[in-house]
Amino acid sequence: MRRNGTERGAEGPTDLPGSANDPDARWMALLMHAAFFLLLGASLARFLMRHPGETRTPWIIALSASLAVLYLLGPVLGSRPTPRRLAWLGVLVAVWMVLVVLAPSFAWCAVPLFYTGLRILPPRAALALVALLTVFVVAAQLRLATGFDPNLVLAPPAVAAVATAVFVHMQRQAVRQRELAARQRELIDDLLHTRRELAATERREGTLAERQRLSMEIHDTLAQGLSSQQMLLQAADRSWDTDPATARRHVLTATGIAEHNLAEARRFVHDLAPADLAEGGGLDAVLRTLAARETAQARGGLTVRCHVEGAPAAALPDRVQSALLRIAQGALANTTEHAEATAAALTLTHLDDRVVLDIADNGRGFDPDLPVPRPPDGVRGHGLPAMRARVQQLGGTLTVESAPGEGTVLSAAVPLPDPAAPPTPEERA
């Protein structure tokens, strides 16, 4: 991985690598800002106190102000190593060098400049700049000394080495943190993908098991009963003219079997109804329970709220309740798996002649006019057609309003039967 300035797209002149997401690095950047201006101010104050009224004083003040202004211009020029940025760094260092030549007390402003050079320049050029600044610091300290002092020769290189080592260490730590965060995101994505595949597999296995159970139930009850009715009616037809009493017994027996089959058919319908509705409580309560369950299962990733407006004049037919619940479940499943939404709302509105269910989310949305692509595994892809079929079977309508990036609103409106009208055969069954 390259460590030059091209990888530091959003960093300022004194921002550390990874400071956009690292609080410690941001504090270090602010500390380097403050250190530069404190050292600059202290150096200027020392010069004015030690050398009042000298002819070079106006130059020192002007150069100090210029150095401060140049340093503040760094963020304006951006953070990439563009020609303007490199020219700015060159002028900044040149002004500092002139100040050090005129007043050696400005030498310690080099420490923040170390970090600035290390962040902007490629590694070799940055090290060369650090070495050059260190030489100027050593020369300035020797000018201030009355005699030769080994500490003045060894201390500046030691400080420069420590500053460089700290920067390189923090840079490597930032790179490791970014790599670790990327690996964690990949692991989380893999885990979510695995959970979705497992859930889809469990749904398929549950569907197959339920189909097998129903096929055996139908074979052992309805199919056997219908076969018996057929044989009895055929026998009654053969003996209708010759033995009316026997034919009548056959018809009565077939009638009893039909009544038993009708009871079994009603039991199947009850078993196939959604379990939540079978437990009682009505559609309003079941939708609230569904919203709470989806919110809990999302573990903070999705918040589902339920709102009910009005009250039904009479209990909703079981077919209507079952269809609307299935539509709500399917819409929330699509929201969880595809919409990447953080909030969804279920709104059930009871009107005089119809009931309306709205499911809205703040997800990424889609273009309803485009065909829905079928996934390679074929697990999903029939959500909206299945919902529309359920509503149309009840004489209702399903509308979808969505656009990329603007969420989705799905509305299912189902007309209610007239309470004064006689019940249909399906309702009587």
Coordinates of all heavy atoms in Angstrom, one line a residue, residues 50-124:
R50 N 14.6 40.0 24.0 CA 16.1 39.9 24.0 C 16.7 41.0 23.1 O 17.8 41.4 23.3 CB 16.6 38.5 23.6 CG 16.2 37.4 24.5 CD 16.9 37.5 25.8 NE 16.6 36.3 26.7 CZ 17.2 35.2 26.6 NH1 18.2 35.0 25.8 NH2 16.9 34.2 27.5
H51 N 16.0 41.4 22.1 CA 16.5 42.3 21.1 C 15.6 43.5 20.8 O 15.1 43.6 19.6 CB 16.9 41.6 19.8 CG 17.7 40.3 20.0 ND1 19.1 40.3 20.2 CD2 17.3 39.0 20.0 CE1 19.5 39.1 20.3 NE2 18.5 38.3 20.2
P52 N 15.3 44.3 21.8 CA 14.3 45.4 21.5 C 15.0 46.5 20.7 O 16.2 46.8 20.9 CB 14.0 45.9 22.9 CG 15.2 45.5 23.7 CD 15.8 44.2 23.2
G53 N 14.2 47.0 19.7 CA 14.7 48.2 19.0 C 15.7 47.9 17.9 O 16.3 48.9 17.4
E54 N 16.0 46.7 17.5 CA 16.9 46.4 16.5 C 16.3 46.7 15.1 O 15.1 46.7 14.9 CB 17.4 44.9 16.6 CG 18.3 44.6 17.8 CD 18.9 43.3 17.7 OE1 18.8 42.6 16.6 OE2 19.6 42.9 18.7
T55 N 17.2 46.9 14.1 CA 16.7 47.2 12.8 C 16.0 46.0 12.1 O 15.2 46.2 11.2 CB 17.9 47.7 11.9 OG1 18.9 46.6 11.9 CG2 18.5 49.0 12.5
R56 N 16.4 44.8 12.5 CA 15.8 43.6 11.9 C 14.4 43.3 12.5 O 13.8 42.4 12.1 CB 16.7 42.4 12.1 CG 17.1 42.1 13.5 CD 18.0 40.9 13.6 NE 18.5 40.7 15.0 CZ 19.0 39.6 15.4 NH1 19.1 38.6 14.6 NH2 19.5 39.5 16.7
T57 N 14.0 44.0 13.6 CA 12.8 43.7 14.3 C 11.6 43.7 13.4 O 10.7 42.8 13.4 CB 12.6 44.6 15.5 OG1 13.7 44.4 16.4 CG2 11.3 44.3 16.2
P58 N 11.4 44.8 12.6 CA 10.2 44.8 11.6 C 10.2 43.6 10.7 O 9.2 43.1 10.4 CB 10.4 46.1 10.9 CG 11.2 47.0 11.8 CD 12.1 46.0 12.5
W59 N 11.4 43.2 10.3 CA 11.5 42.0 9.4 C 11.1 40.8 10.1 O 10.4 39.9 9.5 CB 12.9 41.9 8.8 CG 13.3 42.9 7.8 CD1 14.0 44.1 8.0 CD2 12.9 43.0 6.4 NE1 14.1 44.8 6.9 CE2 13.4 44.1 5.9 CE3 12.1 42.1 5.6 CZ2 13.2 44.5 4.5 CZ3 11.9 42.5 4.3 CH2 12.5 43.6 3.8
I60 N 11.5 40.7 11.3 CA 11.2 39.5 12.1 C 9.6 39.4 12.3 O 9.0 38.3 12.1 CB 11.9 39.5 13.5 CG1 13.4 39.4 13.2 CG2 11.4 38.3 14.3 CD1 13.8 38.1 12.6
I61 N 9.0 40.5 12.7 CA 7.6 40.6 12.9 C 6.8 40.2 11.6 O 5.9 39.5 11.6 CB 7.2 41.9 13.4 CG1 7.8 42.2 14.8 CG2 5.7 42.0 13.5 CD1 7.5 43.5 15.4
A62 N 7.3 40.8 10.5 CA 6.6 40.6 9.2 C 6.7 39.1 8.7 O 5.8 38.5 8.3 CB 7.2 41.5 8.1
L63 N 7.9 38.6 8.9 CA 8.1 37.2 8.5 C 7.3 36.2 9.5 O 6.8 35.2 9.0 CB 9.6 36.8 8.6 CG 10.5 37.4 7.5 CD1 12.0 37.2 7.8 CD2 10.1 36.8 6.1
S64 N 7.2 36.6 10.7 CA 6.4 35.7 11.6 C 5.0 35.8 11.2 O 4.3 34.7 11.2 CB 6.6 36.3 13.1 OG 7.9 36.2 13.5
A65 N 4.5 37.0 10.9 CA 3.1 37.1 10.5 C 2.9 36.3 9.2 O 1.9 35.6 9.0 CB 2.7 38.5 10.3
S66 N 3.8 36.4 8.3 CA 3.7 35.7 7.0 C 3.7 34.2 7.2 O 3.0 33.5 6.5 CB 4.9 36.1 6.1 OG 4.9 37.5 5.8
L67 N 4.6 33.7 8.1 CA 4.6 32.3 8.4 C 3.3 31.8 9.0 O 2.8 30.7 8.6 CB 5.8 32.0 9.4 CG 6.1 30.5 9.6 CD1 6.5 29.8 8.4 CD2 7.1 30.4 10.7
A68 N 2.7 32.6 9.9 CA 1.4 32.2 10.4 C 0.3 32.2 9.4 O -0.5 31.2 9.3 CB 1.0 33.2 11.5
V69 N 0.3 33.2 8.5 CA -0.7 33.2 7.4 C -0.5 32.0 6.4 O -1.5 31.4 6.0 CB -0.7 34.5 6.7 CG1 -1.5 34.5 5.4 CG2 -1.1 35.7 7.6
L70 N 0.7 31.8 6.1 CA 1.0 30.6 5.2 C 0.5 29.3 5.8 O 0.0 28.5 5.1 CB 2.5 30.6 4.9 CG 3.0 31.6 3.9 CD1 4.6 31.5 3.8 CD2 2.5 31.2 2.5
Y71 N 0.8 29.1 7.1 CA 0.4 27.9 7.7 C -1.2 27.8 7.7 O -1.7 26.7 7.5 CB 0.9 27.9 9.2 CG 0.8 26.6 9.9 CD1 1.7 25.6 9.7 CD2 -0.3 26.3 10.7 CE1 1.6 24.4 10.3 CE2 -0.5 25.1 11.3 CZ 0.5 24.1 11.1 OH 0.3 22.9 11.8
L72 N -1.9 28.9 7.9 CA -3.3 28.8 7.9 C -3.9 28.6 6.5 O -5.0 28.1 6.3 CB -3.9 30.1 8.4 CG -3.7 30.4 9.9 CD1 -4.2 31.8 10.3 CD2 -4.5 29.3 10.7
L73 N -3.1 28.9 5.5 CA -3.6 28.7 4.1 C -3.5 27.2 3.7 O -4.1 26.9 2.6 CB -2.7 29.5 3.1 CG -3.0 31.0 3.0 CD1 -2.0 31.7 2.1 CD2 -4.4 31.3 2.6
G74 N -2.9 26.4 4.4 CA -2.7 25.0 4.1 C -4.0 24.3 3.8 O -4.2 23.7 2.7
P75 N -5.0 24.3 4.7 CA -6.3 23.6 4.4 C -7.0 24.2 3.2 O -7.7 23.4 2.5 CB -7.1 23.9 5.7 CG -6.1 24.2 6.7 CD -5.0 24.9 6.0
V76 N -6.8 25.4 2.9 CA -7.5 26.0 1.7 C -7.0 25.4 0.4 O -7.8 25.2 -0.6 CB -7.3 27.5 1.6 CG1 -8.0 28.1 0.4 CG2 -7.9 28.1 2.9
L77 N -5.7 25.0 0.4 CA -5.1 24.4 -0.8 C -5.4 22.9 -1.0 O -5.0 22.3 -2.0 CB -3.6 24.6 -0.8 CG -3.2 26.1 -0.8 CD1 -1.7 26.2 -0.6 CD2 -3.7 26.8 -2.0
G78 N -6.1 22.3 -0.1 CA -6.4 20.9 -0.2 C -5.3 20.1 0.5 O -4.4 20.6 1.0
S79 N -5.5 18.8 0.4 CA -4.6 17.8 1.0 C -3.8 17.0 0.1 O -2.9 16.3 0.5 CB -5.3 16.9 2.0 OG -6.3 16.2 1.3
R80 N -4.1 17.0 -1.2 CA -3.3 16.2 -2.2 C -2.0 16.9 -2.5 O -1.9 18.1 -2.5 CB -4.2 15.9 -3.4 CG -5.4 15.1 -3.2 CD -6.2 14.8 -4.4 NE -7.4 14.1 -4.2 CZ -7.4 12.8 -4.0 NH1 -6.3 12.1 -4.1 NH2 -8.5 12.1 -3.8
P81 N -1.0 16.1 -2.9 CA 0.3 16.7 -3.3 C 0.3 17.3 -4.7 O 1.1 16.9 -5.6 CB 1.3 15.5 -3.2 CG 0.4 14.3 -3.5 CD -0.9 14.6 -2.9
T82 N -0.5 18.3 -4.9 CA -0.6 19.0 -6.1 C 0.6 20.0 -6.2 O 1.3 20.3 -5.2 CB -1.9 19.7 -6.2 OG1 -2.0 20.7 -5.2 CG2 -3.1 18.8 -6.2
P83 N 0.9 20.5 -7.4 CA 1.9 21.5 -7.5 C 1.7 22.7 -6.6 O 2.7 23.2 -6.0 CB 1.9 21.9 -9.0 CG 1.4 20.6 -9.7 CD 0.4 20.0 -8.7
R84 N 0.5 23.2 -6.5 CA 0.3 24.3 -5.6 C 0.6 23.9 -4.2 O 1.1 24.7 -3.4 CB -1.2 24.7 -5.7 CG -1.5 25.5 -7.0 CD -2.8 26.3 -6.8 NE -3.9 25.4 -6.3 CZ -5.1 25.9 -5.9 NH1 -5.3 27.2 -5.9 NH2 -6.0 25.0 -5.5
R85 N 0.2 22.7 -3.8 CA 0.4 22.3 -2.4 C 1.9 22.1 -2.1 O 2.4 22.6 -1.1 CB -0.3 20.9 -2.2 CG -0.1 20.3 -0.8 CD -1.1 20.9 0.1 NE -1.2 20.1 1.3 CZ -1.7 20.5 2.4 NH1 -2.0 21.8 2.6 NH2 -1.8 19.7 3.5
L86 N 2.7 21.6 -3.1 CA 4.1 21.5 -2.9 C 4.8 22.8 -2.9 O 5.7 23.1 -2.1 CB 4.7 20.6 -4.0 CG 4.2 19.1 -4.0 CD1 4.8 18.4 -5.2 CD2 4.6 18.4 -2.7
A87 N 4.3 23.7 -3.7 CA 4.8 25.1 -3.7 C 4.6 25.8 -2.4 O 5.4 26.5 -1.9 CB 4.2 25.9 -4.9
W88 N 3.4 25.6 -1.9 CA 3.0 26.1 -0.5 C 4.0 25.6 0.5 O 4.5 26.4 1.3 CB 1.6 25.8 -0.2 CG 1.3 26.0 1.3 CD1 0.9 27.2 1.8 CD2 1.3 25.0 2.3 NE1 0.7 27.0 3.2 CE2 0.9 25.7 3.5 CE3 1.6 23.6 2.4 CZ2 0.8 25.0 4.7 CZ3 1.5 23.0 3.6 CH2 1.1 23.7 4.7
L89 N 4.3 24.3 0.5 CA 5.2 23.7 1.5 C 6.6 24.3 1.3 O 7.3 24.6 2.3 CB 5.2 22.2 1.4 CG 6.1 21.5 2.3 CD1 5.8 21.7 3.8 CD2 6.2 20.0 2.0
G90 N 7.0 24.5 0.1 CA 8.3 25.0 -0.2 C 8.5 26.5 0.4 O 9.5 26.8 1.0
V91 N 7.4 27.3 0.1 CA 7.4 28.7 0.6 C 7.4 28.7 2.1 O 8.1 29.5 2.8 CB 6.3 29.5 0.0 CG1 6.2 30.9 0.6 CG2 6.4 29.6 -1.5
L92 N 6.6 27.8 2.7 CA 6.5 27.8 4.2 C 7.9 27.5 4.8 O 8.3 28.1 5.8 CB 5.5 26.7 4.6 CG 5.2 26.6 6.1 CD1 4.4 27.8 6.6 CD2 4.4 25.3 6.3
V93 N 8.5 26.5 4.2 CA 9.9 26.1 4.8 C 10.9 27.2 4.5 O 11.7 27.5 5.4 CB 10.3 24.7 4.2 CG1 11.7 24.4 4.6 CG2 9.4 23.6 4.6
A94 N 10.8 27.8 3.4 CA 11.8 28.9 3.0 C 11.6 30.1 4.0 O 12.6 30.6 4.5 CB 11.6 29.3 1.6
V95 N 10.4 30.5 4.3 CA 10.1 31.6 5.2 C 10.7 31.2 6.6 O 11.3 32.0 7.3 CB 8.7 31.9 5.2 CG1 8.4 33.0 6.3 CG2 8.2 32.5 3.9
W96 N 10.4 30.0 7.0 CA 10.9 29.5 8.3 C 12.5 29.6 8.4 O 13.1 30.0 9.4 CB 10.4 28.2 8.6 CG 11.0 27.6 9.9 CD1 10.7 27.8 11.1 CD2 12.1 26.6 9.9 NE1 11.4 27.1 12.0 CE2 12.4 26.3 11.3 CE3 12.9 26.0 9.0 CZ2 13.4 25.5 11.7 CZ3 13.9 25.2 9.4 CH2 14.1 24.9 10.7
M97 N 13.1 29.1 7.3 CA 14.6 29.1 7.2 C 15.1 30.6 7.3 O 16.1 30.8 8.1 CB 15.1 28.5 6.0 CG 14.9 27.0 5.9 SD 15.5 26.2 4.4 CE 15.3 24.5 4.7
V98 N 14.5 31.5 6.7 CA 14.9 32.9 6.7 C 14.8 33.4 8.2 O 15.7 34.1 8.7 CB 14.1 33.8 5.7 CG1 14.5 35.2 5.9 CG2 14.4 33.3 4.3
L99 N 13.7 33.0 8.8 CA 13.5 33.4 10.2 C 14.6 32.8 11.1 O 15.1 33.5 12.0 CB 12.1 33.0 10.7 CG 11.0 34.0 10.5 CD1 9.6 33.3 11.0 CD2 11.2 35.2 11.4
V100 N 14.9 31.6 10.9 CA 15.9 30.9 11.7 C 17.3 31.6 11.5 O 18.1 31.8 12.5 CB 16.0 29.4 11.4 CG1 17.2 28.8 12.1 CG2 14.7 28.7 11.8
V101 N 17.6 32.0 10.3 CA 18.9 32.7 10.0 C 18.9 34.0 10.7 O 19.9 34.4 11.3 CB 19.1 32.8 8.5 CG1 20.3 33.7 8.2 CG2 19.3 31.5 7.8
L102 N 17.8 34.8 10.7 CA 17.7 36.1 11.3 C 17.6 36.0 12.8 O 18.1 36.8 13.6 CB 16.5 36.9 10.8 CG 16.7 37.3 9.3 CD1 15.4 38.0 8.8 CD2 17.9 38.1 9.0
A103 N 16.8 34.9 13.3 CA 16.6 34.8 14.8 C 16.6 33.3 15.1 O 15.5 32.6 14.8 CB 15.3 35.4 15.2
P104 N 17.6 32.7 15.6 CA 17.7 31.3 15.8 C 16.7 30.8 16.8 O 16.4 29.6 16.8 CB 19.1 31.1 16.4 CG 19.9 32.3 15.9 CD 18.9 33.4 15.8
S105 N 16.1 31.6 17.6 CA 15.0 31.1 18.5 C 13.8 30.6 17.8 O 13.0 29.9 18.5 CB 14.6 32.3 19.4 OG 14.1 33.4 18.7
F106 N 13.6 30.8 16.6 CA 12.5 30.2 15.8 C 12.7 28.8 15.4 O 11.9 28.2 14.7 CB 12.2 31.1 14.6 CG 11.5 32.4 14.9 CD1 12.2 33.5 15.2 CD2 10.1 32.5 14.9 CE1 11.6 34.7 15.5 CE2 9.5 33.7 15.2 CZ 10.2 34.8 15.5
A107 N 13.9 28.2 15.8 CA 14.2 26.9 15.3 C 13.3 25.8 15.7 O 13.0 24.9 14.9 CB 15.7 26.5 15.7
W108 N 12.7 25.9 16.9 CA 11.9 24.9 17.4 C 10.5 24.8 16.8 O 9.7 23.9 17.0 CB 11.7 25.0 19.0 CG 13.0 24.6 19.6 CD1 13.9 25.4 20.3 CD2 13.6 23.3 19.7 NE1 15.0 24.7 20.7 CE2 14.8 23.3 20.4 CE3 13.2 22.0 19.2 CZ2 15.6 22.3 20.6 CZ3 14.0 20.9 19.4 CH2 15.2 21.0 20.1
C109 N 10.2 25.8 15.9 CA 8.9 25.7 15.1 C 9.0 24.5 14.1 O 8.1 24.2 13.4 CB 8.7 27.0 14.4 SG 8.2 28.3 15.5
A110 N 10.2 23.9 14.0 CA 10.4 22.9 13.0 C 9.6 21.6 13.4 O 9.3 20.8 12.5 CB 11.9 22.5 12.9
V111 N 9.4 21.4 14.7 CA 8.7 20.1 15.0 C 7.3 20.0 14.3 O 7.1 18.9 13.7 CB 8.6 20.0 16.6 CG1 7.8 18.8 16.9 CG2 10.0 20.0 17.2
P112 N 6.4 21.0 14.4 CA 5.2 20.8 13.6 C 5.4 20.7 12.1 O 4.7 20.1 11.4 CB 4.4 22.1 14.0 CG 5.0 22.5 15.3 CD 6.4 22.2 15.2
L113 N 6.5 21.4 11.6 CA 6.8 21.3 10.2 C 7.2 19.9 9.8 O 7.0 19.5 8.7 CB 7.9 22.3 9.8 CG 7.5 23.8 10.0 CD1 8.6 24.7 9.6 CD2 6.2 24.1 9.2
F114 N 7.8 19.2 10.8 CA 8.2 17.8 10.5 C 6.9 17.0 10.1 O 6.9 16.3 9.0 CB 8.7 17.1 11.7 CG 10.1 17.5 12.1 CD1 10.7 17.3 13.4 CD2 10.9 18.2 11.2 CE1 11.9 17.7 13.7 CE2 12.2 18.6 11.6 CZ 12.7 18.4 12.8
Y115 N 5.9 17.1 10.9 CA 4.6 16.4 10.6 C 4.0 16.9 9.3 O 3.5 16.1 8.5 CB 3.6 16.6 11.8 CG 4.0 15.8 13.0 CD1 4.8 16.3 14.0 CD2 3.5 14.5 13.1 CE1 5.2 15.5 15.1 CE2 3.8 13.7 14.2 CZ 4.7 14.3 15.2 OH 5.0 13.5 16.3
T116 N 4.0 18.2 9.0 CA 3.5 18.7 7.8 C 4.2 18.0 6.6 O 3.5 17.6 5.6 CB 3.6 20.2 7.7 OG1 2.9 20.7 8.9 CG2 2.9 20.7 6.5
G117 N 5.5 18.0 6.6 CA 6.2 17.4 5.5 C 6.0 15.9 5.4 O 5.9 15.4 4.3
L118 N 6.0 15.2 6.5 CA 5.7 13.8 6.5 C 4.4 13.4 5.9 O 4.2 12.4 5.3 CB 5.9 13.2 7.9 CG 7.3 13.1 8.5 CD1 7.2 12.8 9.9 CD2 8.1 12.1 7.7
R119 N 3.4 14.3 6.1 CA 2.1 14.0 5.6 C 1.9 14.3 4.1 O 1.1 13.7 3.4 CB 1.0 14.8 6.4 CG 0.6 14.1 7.6 CD -0.4 14.9 8.4 NE 0.2 16.1 9.0 CZ 0.9 16.1 10.1 NH1 1.1 15.0 10.8 NH2 1.4 17.2 10.6
I120 N 2.6 15.3 3.6 CA 2.4 15.7 2.2 C 3.3 15.0 1.3 O 2.9 14.6 0.2 CB 2.6 17.3 2.1 CG1 1.6 18.0 3.0 CG2 2.6 17.7 0.7 CD1 1.8 19.5 3.0
L121 N 4.6 14.8 1.6 CA 5.6 14.3 0.7 C 5.7 12.8 0.7 O 5.3 12.2 1.7 CB 7.0 14.9 1.1 CG 7.1 16.4 1.0 CD1 8.5 16.9 1.5 CD2 6.9 16.9 -0.4
P122 N 6.2 12.2 -0.4 CA 6.5 10.8 -0.4 C 7.5 10.5 0.7 O 8.2 11.4 1.2 CB 7.0 10.5 -1.8 CG 6.5 11.6 -2.6 CD 6.4 12.8 -1.7
P123 N 7.7 9.2 1.1 CA 8.5 8.9 2.3 C 10.0 9.4 2.1 O 10.5 10.0 3.1 CB 8.5 7.4 2.3 CG 7.2 7.0 1.7 CD 6.9 8.0 0.7
R124 N 10.6 9.2 1.0 CA 12.0 9.6 0.9 C 12.2 11.1 0.9 O 13.0 11.7 1.6 CB 12.6 9.0 -0.4 CG 12.8 7.5 -0.4 CD 13.5 7.0 -1.6 NE 13.6 5.6 -1.6 CZ 14.2 4.9 -2.6 NH1 14.7 5.5 -3.7 NH2 14.3 3.6 -2.5

